[in-house]
């Protein structure tokens, strides 16, 4: 995306970015399409964004079952939750896969934790969002879902918004994720949506900007190996429930990135859906 002045939102010459030049306005190339509606009325009520005390996974069986239920409900409704007590986040990853395979004797464990243990990948993204003279005109990141299995995120300031698809009678709305100290944000990615044959939703999220402060986020994306294909497990498929997604790997996602512009709203998961 380059405009007539040679300004581009995707390539930066050293010392030449809008921030480095301290521009008092937002160059056209950063302006968001109207469909992204950066001026949404936001609901920052923290009740709506589930915060789950994951340390309860180490408690009694009953307590554990309760937490797994809460995790499952959050993954189905939002594809997102905030986890209190990050030390045991690994257990929530296992719970997501165990719950997903609870009817078939360990399907989830085979399909996620052990495959990730063998040749899974972790990609760390450090995102820096400088202050923006007009936060209503631009976005830090356009709406997207993460291709990975799960993303674990820390932020220093609010700015992350998730799309809550069933709000407003099904038309959906954006929800600002409140900053709660010591809490990690967990996104369900495209590959867990595939693994659950659509039961868990990969969360669409975007990042808004701040007029005064620099926002920094650390995102840890966890996925299968480069060529390891994620497919709908055969145990979840029968005549009534056909597979809803084609198989794909991280490399397939990279191919998709080269050929598509995700800033225009293209989603990898949409290319995997099998139409009825
Ligand atoms: O900065 C954030 O809060 C989100 C970052 C993000 O969505 C990503 O790195 O994929
Ligand atoms: Fe993301």
């Amino acid at each position: 995306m380059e405009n007539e002045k040679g300004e581009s939102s995707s390539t930066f010459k050293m010392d030449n970015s809008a921030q480095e030049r301290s521009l008092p306005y937002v160059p056209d190339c950063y302006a968001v399409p109207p469909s992204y509606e950066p001026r949404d009325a936001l609901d920052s009520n923290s009740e709506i964004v589930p915060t789950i005390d994951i340390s309860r996974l180490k408690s009694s069986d009953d307590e554990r079952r309760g937490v797994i239920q809460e995790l499952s409900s959050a993954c189905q409704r939002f594809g997102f939750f905030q986890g209190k007590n990050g030390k045991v986040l690994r257990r929530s990853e296992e719970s997501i896969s165990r719950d997903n395979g609870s009817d078939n004797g360990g399907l989830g464990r085979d399909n996620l934790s052990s495959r990730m243990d063998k040749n899974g990948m972790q990609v760390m993204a450090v995102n820096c969002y400088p202050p923006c003279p007009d936060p209503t005109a631009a976005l830090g990141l356009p709406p997207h879902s993460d291709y990975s299995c799960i993303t674990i995120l820390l932020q220093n300031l609010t700015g992350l918004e998730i799309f809550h698809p069933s709000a407003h009678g099904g038309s959906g709305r954006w929800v600002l994720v409140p900053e709660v100290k010591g809490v990690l944000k967990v996104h369900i990615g495209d590959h867990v949506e595939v693994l659950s044959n659509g039961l868990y939703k990969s969360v669409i999220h975007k990042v808004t900007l701040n007029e005064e402060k620099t926002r920094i986020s650390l995102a840890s994306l966890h996925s299968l190996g480069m060529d390891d294909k994620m497919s709908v497990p055969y145990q979840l498929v029968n005549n009534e429930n056909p597979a809803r997604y084609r198989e794909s790997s991280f490399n397939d996602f990279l191919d998709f990135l080269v050929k598509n512009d995700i800033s225009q709203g293209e989603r990898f998961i949409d290319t995997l859906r099998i139409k009825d």
Side-chain angles (χ1 to χ4, degrees):
M1 273 209 287
E2 192 163 314
N3 68 10
E4 66 282 1
K5 292 181 216 152
E7 291 162 330
S8 160
S9 63
S10 49
T11 56
F12 300 99
K13 294 191 195 93
M14 286 295 277
D15 301 327
N16 200 37
S17 69
Q19 179 208 9
E20 284 159 325
R21 287 187 285 155
S22 299
L23 294 183
Y25 62 93
V26 175
D28 291 349
C29 58
Y30 294 98
V32 292
S35 59
Y36 287 168
E37 296 170 23
R39 295 171 201 82
D40 293 346
L42 296 176
D43 187 349
S44 55
N45 173 1
S46 61
E47 291 302 302
I48 200 169
V49 179
T51 300
I52 301 174
D53 179 358
I54 303 165
S55 67
R56 286 157 54 219
L57 284 167
K58 288 199 287 196
S59 308
S60 65
D61 282 358
D62 274 358
E63 187 86 2
R64 258 180 82 74
R65 265 192 290 276
V67 186
I68 290 173
Q69 224 16 70
E70 286 173 37
L71 288 168
S72 172
S73 160
C75 294
Q76 289 179 47
R77 293 178 58 226
F78 296 92
F80 180 87
F81 62 90
Q82 304 211 79
K84 271 199 262 181
N85 194 346
K87 275 191 192 147
V88 290
L89 215 53
R90 166 76 189 169
R91 281 172 190 252
S92 69
E93 189 179 301
E94 285 169 3
S95 302
I96 287 167
S97 49
R98 190 160 308 141
D99 176 64
N100 185 27
S102 54
D103 292 328
N104 42 58
L107 150 75
R109 256 182 312 249
D110 287 351
N111 267 282
L112 195 55
S113 296
S114 68
R115 288 176 76 189
M116 283 168 95
D117 279 350
K118 260 192 223 131
N119 58 355
M121 296 193 304
Q122 177 185 16
V123 174
M124 286 293 299
V126 181
N127 303 300
C128 178
Y129 308 92
C132 172
D134 180 3
T136 62
L139 281 173
L141 272 184
H144 68 281
S145 59
D146 297 340
Y147 77 88
S148 56
C149 291
I150 64 166
T151 301
I152 302 167
L153 189 113
L154 259 179
Q155 64 180 11
N156 68 333
L157 290 177
T158 53
L160 174 66
E161 292 178 18
I162 60 170
F163 193 67
H164 179 23
S166 54
H168 273 187
S171 59
R173 74 173 302 173
W174 288 101
V175 180
L176 179 70
V177 176
E179 183 47 23
V180 185
K181 235 185 158 54
V183 156
L184 292 168
K185 287 118 192 56
V186 181
H187 301 189
I188 292 299
D190 291 347
H191 270 176
V192 166
E193 182 165 328
V194 172
L195 175 71
S196 67
N197 203 17
L199 181 66
Y200 293 172
K201 304 294 179 298
S202 68
V203 62
I204 299 178
H205 50 288
K206 66 180 179 183
V207 177
T208 56
L209 295 165
N210 190 293
E211 203 167 343
E212 280 144 26
K213 297 183 184 149
T214 296
R215 177 172 181 275
I216 293 177
S217 72
L218 300 179
S220 173
L221 295 99
H222 300 257
S223 68
L224 299 178
M226 283 303 261
D227 290 306
D228 206 353
K229 298 272 187 192
M230 179 63 89
S231 56
V232 176
Y234 70 91
Q235 296 95 326
L236 294 185
V237 175
N238 55 40
N239 286 342
E240 285 81 52
N241 298 296
R244 299 201 173 88
Y245 305 87
R246 270 177 277 284
E247 65 174 18
S248 66
S249 65
F250 190 140
N251 257 331
D252 296 331
F253 169 71
L254 294 181
D255 276 353
F256 167 86
L257 270 190
V258 171
K259 293 180 190 138
N260 295 275
D261 185 355
I262 57 165
S263 74
Q264 298 303 306
E266 304 289 335
R267 290 182 72 200
F268 179 53
I269 187 92
D270 290 337
T271 68
L272 304 178
R273 286 183 215 285
I274 298 171
K275 310 262 177 335
D276 293 332

